[in-house]
Amino acid sequence: MKVRIKLFQDYKRYHDTPDYELDLPEGTTAGAIVQELGIKGPELAYLILILKGKRVLDDYILHDGDELVFAAPIGGG
Amino acid sequence: MDSLSDTTGTTRPSLQFEQIARIDARDKASGRTRYMSDLSFPGMLYATFVRSRFPHALIRRVDTSKALALPGVVAVLTAADVPGFNGFGIVVPDMPVICGDKVRYLGDTVALVAAESGRIAEQAAKLVDVDYEELPVVDDPVAALLPNAPKVHDKGNICLHTLIAKGDVEQGFREADLIIDHEYRTPRQAHVPLETESGVAVPEADGSLSMYAGSQYAFRDQLQLARILGMNPRMIHVVSNPVGGGFGSKDELTIQGGLALLAMKTGRPVKVSLSREESLVSGWKRHPFIIRMKTGFKKDGTLVANDVVCYEDKGAYSSLGGPVLNLALEHASSLYRVPNTRHEGWAVFTNNGTCGAMRGFGVPQVLFAIESNMNEAAEKLGLDSVTIRHRNVLHQGEVSPIGHTLRTGVSMDLVLDAIERSDLWQRRTEYKRAERPWLKRGVALAIAPQGAGLGLGIPDYGGAYIDLEKDGTFTLRIGLVEYGQGTHTGFVQMAAALLHVHPSRIRLIAGQTRDSVDAGPATASRSTYTASNAIAAAYDDFCNKVEQAVDGPDSTGVASSCTSRDGGMETPAGFRSYEQLAEDYAQEVLLRGEGYFVWPTADREIPGAAGLPHWIYSFAAQAALVEVNTLTGETQLLRVATALDTGCTINREQVEAQIDGGVAQGQGFALSEDTLITKGQVRSKNFSTYVIPTVQDVPSHEYIVLENPEGTSPLGVRGIGEVTMVPIIPAIPLAIHDATGVWVRHLPATPERVYRLLHPMMDE
């Protein structure tokens, strides 16, 4: 299955490009992508995963066509 | 440049919103509402935050032995006791929960005490022995940029530098017939909510933590606390409502980190409620700005160039200082048609307290400057202040001063037309007649846009659930916190209008992490707009769920044919009341509509300016009538007219209340409020020296509510929380000019400041 990954803010530095596609086996969780990227420490603690406006946790099982956003819950105005 | 596309939503203009009083009015008016400072738990301890004695110093040693020996003291914590990451901050977590090696302002925490009573905790705090090595204080943001300035942080004093340029500003000035060039200064306004920073942290039997503390985003507090405690966020439950006022002061963490550490260390609930003095010394403030603005005009008032340099006094820690600076720079030429711009700014660390989010978020500061330059140009060019603005306001489809295309709902001309038609403006000559020769009256107007939402590059999203309960009533779940705006009443009204039921049939669960759904922060004029989209999406999903329930497995579950009317739904099987639907389908399983929404954003960032541009703006115009006592310099705000575009009004009473509150807060900014800090020492620590408008000071009001539907909201709404306080800020000093002839360029316009402008020789 194909899953699109979008990295925002400081999480951009965990991959060559902030917006890319992965070909993944069925049953892959969002947490597996987090682990694969090597996000840890305070940045892991402050990470949110968003799927079409919905917060998901690391045990979320990805589906074909998903677009998973990695971001910190920073604010703006 | 980004391409022009139309709006994305489909409005539902036929919806009728039942006009009700605030859903929390009765409990608040009768004293039944239990704020965080009212909470009590069995075995509860009381906390004291041991604050720094110096605005800038190294910490050599912290000795807690005497404090720990005091009977009744249960715990005294230092930096070494932080199990996770010892820092917090929405954007950059550079503020220690407990300082270990250095303090950067008087509000810094050097130790935490938990004791059996508040009095014992305060006594123990005095026994914590801290050995400091004082450092030179940095108290001027411009001086702090000099190479030899003492460093507040190891990396230096620049929190952020941003430069946005369009066209050729020097060529623009060469083409100009008139150049207005001034420096403006704005105050360190405090939020002063009725309830100071207060809360209780409760360790639960399963090892989790419950945090009850008023804030503006429970889901983010949860992650910041998890980072500090080194805990799984699922083991932290945050309840942020009710909040006794915020205005931005509770967007960032305040007391939660310290309370959480003490609760987990002692295994007992721990409470604190800051005194007003401690709140004013340690709490977040609005960033003071020094603004140098040079603006070029043609003879007919057309803008040709604007060169702006902003110095933002960040105070000690980052928090939201970067985004505040960038939003200010986005608005530094307002939404006027300026072909050549150069907007540059520095957010600079100092030892002057610490600043963060506050209603308006950098926009009031720069609007004061650009609106003042507009009026001065109008006067010198022989134009009136309406004509010069009409000549320059942007419309949908045009390019902004920072170079992005305005794609949706631009109402600059709409609010300007409306304020021109106001009674105050039309009869201003009559209103300006004063009763005594030493009293001078003036009237002026100003207009403002206010970017809404978090901006490009920051995922901006929200969810909502609509649950049909077993008795046919509904529960609406949405994470957005309410801290006085009236938004929760509006959310219930929206859901009620969509479902065609009375709002009393809907129970709201909001502002907490366990039983509501993340809808982002209650900031940036985003709550009502976000909720309108999330609730409408939840309603659509609820219709699908009803169709699936009625039709069974054959339902496509995609585009529902169900529609609500008269307390029920038309379904493929005919009309069913919600009671019938609940009886048939919601007894064993949850009939829930889930709605999720992602804000529309521009497809291209403004180079070098994170978070910019915004896609949606709020718009307001305000006119002010002031009376200046030329013998004392005292200014009274007598009357205000506000023209505000709500897009679609959900609750008229709440709109007027937001205008009243916005005007009062803008009035304070313009006339009296400033947290005075000298050499890092706070001089205005309570309401005798920090002067806010009271009910005796607020003006009479003329409300003009416009409804130009925002096309990206299915209900047509746009946020109004911030913009209601913006144009009044320049309108007041410009009205002082109309009354007396003096230009006020340093706010607040205190009696002393106005007197010196009126009597310049008195200084010599």
Side-chain angles (χ1 to χ4, degrees):
Chain A
M1 63 176 178
K2 303 253 189 239
V3 171
R4 183 140 219 101
I5 305 295
K6 291 195 165 189
L7 306 175
F8 283 81
Q9 305 138 5
D10 290 346
Y11 300 103
K12 287 180 182 174
R13 69 182 172 82
Y14 284 95
H15 197 266
D16 298 341
T17 53
D19 185 344
Y20 60 102
E21 194 172 79
L22 287 174
D23 200 349
L24 298 168
E26 296 289 334
T28 303
T29 63
I33 311 297
V34 176
Q35 207 165 16
E36 175 69 24
L37 286 169
I39 302 169
K40 54 183 111 171
E43 287 185 343
L44 177 62
Y46 205 43
L47 171 67
I48 55 174
L49 304 171
I50 311 160
L51 202 77
K52 292 181 183 164
K54 179 182 184 178
R55 275 277 299 279
V56 295
L57 300 177
D58 52 7
D59 56 2
Y60 171 79
I61 297 171
L62 293 161
H63 298 93
D64 188 43
D66 275 352
E67 186 176 289
L68 189 64
V69 169
F70 288 61
I74 67 172
Chain B
M1 197 46 54
D2 41 15
S3 62
L4 195 76
S5 69
D6 211 339
T7 53
T8 56
T10 306
T11 57
R12 309 178 197 207
S14 60
L15 286 178
Q16 296 295 312
F17 301 99
E18 185 85 26
Q19 294 302 295
I20 56 171
R22 289 177 63 120
I23 58 174
D24 53 355
R26 191 171 295 275
D27 283 348
K28 284 186 173 171
S30 63
R32 279 198 292 270
T33 300
R34 283 164 59 80
Y35 290 97
M36 303 308 179
S37 45
D38 297 321
L39 298 182
S40 182
F41 292 83
M44 191 169 75
L45 299 171
Y46 295 84
T48 292
F49 288 58
V50 183
R51 307 285 181 182
S52 173
R53 282 177 55 211
F54 301 102
H56 200 195
L58 297 175
I59 299 171
R60 286 177 171 155
R61 181 181 52 83
V62 181
D63 183 351
T64 62
S65 56
K66 287 180 187 166
L68 273 167
L70 188 71
V73 171
V74 179
V76 182
L77 305 185
T78 64
D81 296 305
V82 180
F85 180 75
N86 186 9
F88 65 99
I90 291 172
V91 179
V92 181
D94 58 4
M95 182 163 181
V97 185
I98 309 175
C99 294
D101 53 1
K102 187 177 184 183
V103 290
R104 298 176 179 85
Y105 87 113
L106 285 182
D108 262 332
T109 301
V110 292
L112 296 163
V113 177
E116 300 290 350
S117 74
R119 179 175 289 185
I120 295 171
E122 284 176 23
Q123 287 175 338
K126 291 175 186 162
L127 296 175
V128 174
D129 184 15
V130 185
D131 185 11
Y132 295 99
E133 178 185 331
E134 280 191 78
L135 296 171
V137 170
V138 187
D139 63 356
D140 179 318
V142 178
L145 289 171
L146 297 173
N148 59 349
K151 288 182 179 177
V152 179
H153 290 271
D154 290 343
K155 68 175 186 178
N157 294 336
I158 298 176
C159 172
L160 183 72
H161 171 239
T162 297
L163 173 61
I164 307 168
K166 187 184 82 165
D168 181 342
V169 76
E170 293 308 325
Q171 178 60 27
F173 287 126
R174 281 193 287 274
E175 293 170 6
D177 297 314
L178 173 71
I179 292 174
I180 306 291
D181 187 357
H182 294 296
E183 179 178 291
Y184 295 88
R185 290 176 181 251
T186 65
R188 190 185 322 273
Q189 189 175 29
H191 311 71
V192 290
L194 276 175
E195 184 189 39
T196 60
E197 298 84 343
S198 305
V200 189
V202 182
E204 306 288 0
D206 63 357
S208 67
L209 177 80
S210 296
M211 173 62 66
Y212 301 87
S215 81
Q216 295 174 215
Y217 189 12
F219 288 88
R220 182 171 58 212
D221 297 351
Q222 181 187 45
L223 292 185
Q224 290 224 65
L225 290 173
R227 187 166 59 179
I228 293 164
L229 296 171
M231 282 173 64
N232 186 326
R234 294 186 215 205
M235 296 293 284
I236 299 170
H237 173 46
V238 177
V239 178
S240 293
N241 267 128
V243 189
F247 310 110
S249 66
K250 296 167 184 172
D251 195 17
E252 183 63 87
L253 288 188
T254 56
I255 42 81
Q256 296 96 323
L259 287 181
L261 289 169
L262 288 168
M264 296 308 283
K265 179 76 174 180
T266 62
R268 293 169 64 178
V270 183
K271 176 177 181 175
V272 78
S273 183
L274 299 189
S275 68
R276 183 61 64 185
E277 180 172 326
E278 188 173 3
S279 174
L280 278 168
V281 171
S282 67
W284 303 100
K285 305 288 185 304
R286 186 189 297 284
H287 298 85
F289 270 50
I290 300 168
I291 302 160
R292 293 172 186 159
M293 184 175 286
K294 179 179 174 184
T295 313
F297 299 83
K298 302 293 284 181
K299 280 179 187 164
D300 66 355
T302 305
L303 282 155
V304 288
N306 198 26
D307 188 0
V308 187
V309 182
C310 295
Y311 300 94
E312 174 194 281
D313 187 346
K314 180 74 252 11
Y317 297 105
S318 296
S319 189
L320 285 157
V324 167
L325 177 69
N326 280 355
L327 196 73
L329 296 179
E330 180 171 353
H331 292 73
S333 297
S334 186
L335 284 184
Y336 291 128
R337 192 179 302 104
V338 195
N340 307 292
T341 56
R342 186 176 178 282
H343 297 177
E344 185 171 24
W346 280 268
V348 189
F349 291 119
T350 67
N351 302 119
N352 293 336
T354 195
C355 298
M358 188 171 182
R359 190 184 201 175
F361 212 77
V363 179
Q365 292 92 321
V366 292
L367 258 289
F368 165 49
I370 183 67
E371 290 293 271
S372 296
N373 276 12
M374 292 294 283
N375 266 35
E376 187 172 338
E379 186 174 295
K380 288 185 171 163
L381 294 169
L383 301 167
D384 68 68
S385 52
V386 173
T387 301
I388 194 168
R389 285 173 174 79
H390 264 310
R391 206 150 278 175
N392 290 289
V393 292
L394 288 168
H395 305 93
Q396 187 168 332
E398 292 193 273
V399 176
S400 81
I402 61 167
H404 71 296
T405 304
L406 301 172
R407 300 183 181 209
T408 178
V410 181
S411 304
M412 291 285 278
D413 55 350
L414 197 70
V415 295
L416 183 56
D417 283 340
I419 203 68
E420 188 182 11
R421 291 195 303 270
S422 67
D423 172 73
L424 174 55
W425 191 254
Q426 290 297 316
R427 295 170 55 208
R428 59 190 183 281
T429 307
E430 190 180 325
Y431 279 116
K432 286 199 292 189
R433 288 187 197 120
E435 292 178 356
R436 296 283 184 274
W438 59 88
L439 300 176
K440 305 291 182 190
R441 289 187 174 190
V443 175
L445 60 78
I447 61 174
Q450 173 86 40
L454 304 181
L456 182 60
I458 306 170
D460 201 349
Y461 60 95
Y465 295 162
I466 294 174
D467 296 344
L468 180 62
E469 299 296 337
K470 291 179 180 176
D471 62 357
T473 61
F474 289 92
T475 299
L476 171 64
R477 298 171 193 271
I478 187 164
L480 286 159
V481 175
E482 136 97 51
Y483 47 96
Q485 319 97 305
T487 49
H488 281 180
T489 304
F491 299 166
V492 169
Q493 287 178 274
M494 290 182 209
L498 289 159
L499 291 162
H500 284 83
V501 296
H502 190 270
S504 61
R505 304 282 292 170
I506 298 173
R507 183 172 70 114
L508 179 73
I509 297 178
Q512 50 129 310
T513 54
R514 185 171 295 152
D515 298 317
S516 63
V517 53
D518 191 352
T523 58
S525 301
R526 68 183 293 285
S527 293
T528 303
Y529 171 84
T530 303
S532 76
N533 279 283
I535 293 170
Y539 167 74
D540 289 343
D541 189 52
F542 179 74
C543 293
N544 288 337
K545 298 285 175 55
V546 169
E547 181 165 314
Q548 288 169 32
V550 173
D551 262 9
D554 294 337
S555 167
T556 61
V558 180
S560 173
S561 59
C562 293
T563 53
S564 63
R565 72 168 174 86
D566 303 330
M569 279 206 158
E570 288 291 352
T571 76
F575 180 78
R576 295 284 186 277
S577 70
Y578 290 124
E579 287 81 358
Q580 289 172 313
L581 285 172
E583 182 64 31
D584 293 343
Y585 305 110
Q587 298 302 309
E588 304 298 327
V589 294
L590 179 64
L591 200 54
R592 165 176 287 175
E594 296 187 24
Y596 302 101
F597 166 68
V598 179
W599 273 63
T601 58
D603 52 16
R604 191 178 147 186
E605 194 172 83
I606 299 299
L612 306 189
H614 286 71
W615 176 285
I616 295 167
Y617 294 84
S618 312
F619 299 93
Q622 287 169 318
L625 168 68
V626 303
E627 183 172 88
V628 182
N629 184 326
T630 57
L631 299 179
T632 65
E634 186 180 15
T635 301
Q636 286 189 25
L637 180 62
L638 300 177
R639 187 173 177 83
V640 171
T642 294
L644 173 70
D645 180 12
T646 64
C648 166
T649 302
I650 307 295
N651 188 311
R652 171 73 188 217
E653 191 176 59
Q654 290 310 305
V655 169
E656 292 186 6
Q658 278 285 24
I659 294 171
D660 288 343
V663 166
Q665 205 154 31
Q667 177 182 1
F669 183 118
L671 290 176
S672 62
E673 294 186 43
D674 198 0
T675 310
L676 303 173
I677 300 180
T678 306
K679 297 286 180 194
Q681 301 289 333
V682 180
R683 290 162 48 210
S684 41
K685 297 181 184 177
N686 52 50
F687 289 141
S688 64
T689 46
Y690 187 89
V691 183
I692 61 172
T694 70
V695 71
Q696 293 178 316
D697 303 308
V698 294
S700 62
H701 220 122
E702 180 183 354
Y703 310 100
I704 305 166
V705 178
L706 308 165
E707 295 187 324
N708 178 27
E710 169 48 51
T712 59
S713 160
L715 309 184
V717 302
R718 59 177 85 227
I720 60 159
E722 295 175 284
V723 77
T724 52
M725 78 162 296
V726 180
I728 189 66
I729 291 169
I732 290 171
L734 294 176
I736 293 173
H737 172 76
D738 187 51
T740 65
V742 300
W743 294 102
V744 181
R745 300 195 178 97
H746 187 169
L747 294 179
T750 58
E752 295 88 343
R753 229 166 240 152
V754 173
Y755 185 87
R756 285 186 182 129
L757 288 167
L758 289 168
H759 308 278
M761 299 300 284
M762 300 297 285
D763 267 352
E764 294 173 5

